[in-house]
Amino acid sequence: METKRIYIKDTEHVRDEELLEAAEIIRRGGLVAFPTETVYGLGGNALDEDAAKKIYAAKGRPSDNPLIAHVSCPEEVEPLVEYMPEAGKKLMEAFWPGPLTMIFPKSSRVPYGTTGGLETVAVRMPSDPVANRLIALAGVPIAAPSANTSGRPSPTTADHVWQDMNGRIDMIIDGGPVGIGVESTIVDVSGDVPTLLRPGAITMEMLRETVGRVEIDPAIQAPPSADLRPKAPGMKYRHYAPKAPVTVVRGDPAQTAAYIAQHIGEKTGVMCFDEYRDCFPGCVVECFGSENDLGTQAREVFDRLRAFDDTDVRQIWAQCPSDEGLGLAVANRIKKAAGFSVVEV
Ligand code: AMP
Ligand code: MG
């Protein structure tokens, strides 16, 4: 398949003409990768089971790992859900459009092919103007997982998407690098107490301020085990991983840097905070932001993890922020890249 690539220069003022062909591809059942504020998404009609199948095939994603349906306005949620829980209403008002996905009881209109066989559906309204306008023009909710090959770090630029999806999908819309860089926060509002399934830019602190009690699914912090059946099926898969194995070292940054420096072997990669750039002689060093700059860390983490795949490193050590605010999301992605191989110092 030939993949067409189009470039949107002024994403804030994208014109409908620029997106009509993409919208038509979605309506016809094809696949279009597009920018969102979180990461690039791989879009297809969320109400079309065949489109969902194509998404799974293009990503090489296991088909029990459900897709998020993206809408362009709150009114488009109603046909997708059985009913709207109170917590869902509050969170929608507070954080939409934006990087928050919610899990609702699904209506009969949403095919099981999109939800991985589940009775629930994940829905998000992105704030990115290109994403938002594309969904509106397509006239259908767009199922859009991250536009990477399953298991690889999520794409934060159109070049990342091109590396993984060229020849496998109909179109890539290049809107430049994304703003946030880690995927949306996912909160399950289908049960009694809202539960965080994936940390993101809408932080635990922000959620609790809006709805009070929020629980954290244990699969966010710990390796999946045979008896732990994660609520978000994606949690059980290795994720975000470069080809070489990653080990995370957690603790005070000066101490984690010292620990890593003592453990340098042959062909070693280090992903570290900017401050420690010069501490690892002979290593391939990728910096992902200053130790207190979580925004930059979120934007850079996947690009830096991907960069190791162009080198011959055989092992990778990574520093990691603590769990406050956006740090929970960044740390979760790094720990998942490491398959939860974590050293505490
Ligand atoms: P991605 O598409 O790469 O952003 O990943 C989407 C994530 O949303 C996956 O980890 C899914 O498991 C999760 N997800 C989607 N739909 C549901 C659902 N109905 N219930 C729980 N998790 C879901
Ligand atoms: Mg993904």
Side-chain angles (χ1 to χ4, degrees), residues 38-40 42 55-56 59 61 64-70 101-104 106 114-116 118-124 143-148 154 183-184 186 188 190 197-198 230-237 239-240 336:
T38 57
V39 301
Y40 272 75
L42 174 53
I55 291 176
Y56 287 109
K59 281 180 65 78
R61 178 170 179 154
D64 66 344
N65 189 356
L67 308 175
I68 296 171
H70 293 73
T101 297
M102 279 180 281
I103 310 289
F104 300 105
K106 84 171 195 69
T114 299
T115 69
L118 298 173
E119 295 298 337
T120 49
V121 59
V123 189
R124 174 164 106 84
S146 50
N148 53 290
S154 294
E183 306 85 342
S184 59
I186 304 182
D188 185 351
S190 70
L197 303 187
R198 178 170 75 184
K231 277 263 200 63
M235 291 168 150
K236 73 177 182 233
Y237 297 108
H239 231 112
Y240 315 130
K336 289 197 77 170

Side-chain angles (χ1 to χ4, degrees), residues 289-317:
S290 170
E291 60 187 17
N292 295 316
D293 183 356
L294 290 165
T296 299
Q297 292 170 31
R299 256 189 315 278
E300 293 293 325
V301 64
F302 287 135
D303 184 62
R304 300 298 88 209
L305 285 170
R306 266 179 187 258
F308 289 113
D309 285 346
D310 297 329
T311 74
D312 64 350
V313 300
R314 293 211 200 113
Q315 54 164 329
I316 299 166
W317 294 96

Side-chain angles (χ1 to χ4, degrees), residues 249-263:
V249 187
R250 301 200 77 189
D252 171 72
Q255 287 177 16
T256 58
Y259 180 93
I260 293 170
Q262 284 158 14
H263 288 80

